[in-house]
Amino acid sequence: MKTLFIFPLTVLFCFSASAVDVTVQINGGVLSQSCNISSQDFIKNVNFPDFSPDDFGQKGATSAEQPVSIHLENCTGSVNNLTYKFTGETDDTDPTLLKVIGKGGETEGRLATGLAIEILNEKKNKIALNTIQPLNSIITGTTYTLDFYLRYKSVSSKVGSGDASSIVYLDVYYD
């Protein structure tokens, strides 16, 4: 909670002067619950090792998970109503998965086919893309780490080689 103190100030001058207006802008807010995302986590790059199409022998086959951590800081109060949502372009065959769109979101060159990206929570349960998820935890300290995992998942019985990059955004909400 921010408190603004105003102190009266009396100034007496013994000589004549012209008046000048001074504008003082006061900005602030009263937040019952919030956290800031660490500036080091505004952009995250997740690099997977190279895979062969043969590594995805059947529809639903997955790669090993790659961890992603988002650090929250300056948490205030007891944050118990945090929700989040991963947003991005959905896969054509499974709208809960992230579509492979190529580096920078551009379809330059050849894209991998039959493959999408699955997002998992800290317990490695699937998180549906573009769906608000509750944190199901109370943040009582000034810092907190959100842990997630990403992995490739075949959405077809045949996976083709190519660029398997994509972009996803994480939105954090306080109700």
Side-chain angles (χ1 to χ4, degrees):
M1 176 198 263
K2 294 183 181 178
T3 305
L4 175 67
F5 292 99
I6 300 174
F7 295 99
L9 179 65
T10 304
V11 179
L12 298 174
F13 292 100
C14 296
F15 56 89
S16 174
S18 59
V20 176
D21 291 333
V22 175
T23 302
V24 177
Q25 293 183 349
I26 300 168
N27 300 302
V30 177
L31 303 173
S32 62
Q33 301 179 46
S34 70
C35 294
N36 297 330
I37 295 176
S38 171
S39 60
Q40 296 176 345
D41 291 339
F42 287 157
I43 296 175
K44 299 292 272 190
N45 293 306
V46 179
N47 296 309
F48 282 85
D50 291 335
F51 294 103
S52 166
D54 296 335
D55 293 334
F56 302 94
Q58 61 185 5
K59 183 177 179 178
T62 60
S63 70
E65 299 94 6
Q66 293 295 317
V68 179
S69 294
I70 306 296
H71 299 90
L72 303 178
E73 58 190 17
N74 302 320
C75 298
T76 61
S78 180
V79 181
N80 60 6
N81 61 352
L82 186 140
T83 57
Y84 61 89
K85 177 173 67 169
F86 283 96
T87 59
E89 191 171 342
T90 60
D91 182 70
D92 296 333
T93 58
D94 185 344
T96 65
L97 302 177
L98 181 64
K99 183 176 187 174
V100 170
I101 58 174
K103 290 181 182 168
E106 299 176 15
T107 56
E108 290 181 18
R110 186 174 167 176
L111 293 177
T113 58
L115 202 60
I117 300 167
E118 186 172 46
I119 304 168
L120 308 172
N121 66 16
E122 74 283 353
K123 295 178 182 174
K124 297 188 180 180
N125 296 321
K126 180 179 179 178
I127 298 173
L129 190 64
N130 299 321
T131 304
I132 293 177
Q133 304 290 320
L135 180 61
N136 293 326
S137 184
I138 297 174
I139 301 172
T140 57
T142 58
T143 62
Y144 191 83
T145 301
L146 299 169
D147 291 316
F148 302 101
Y149 299 89
L150 303 174
R151 67 181 176 190
Y152 290 117
K153 184 173 186 176
S154 62
V155 293
S156 171
S157 58
K158 182 172 170 97
V159 172
S161 62
D163 182 0
S165 303
S166 195
I167 298 172
V168 68
Y169 302 94
L170 173 64
D171 300 314
V172 177
Y173 305 97
Y174 306 94
D175 294 327

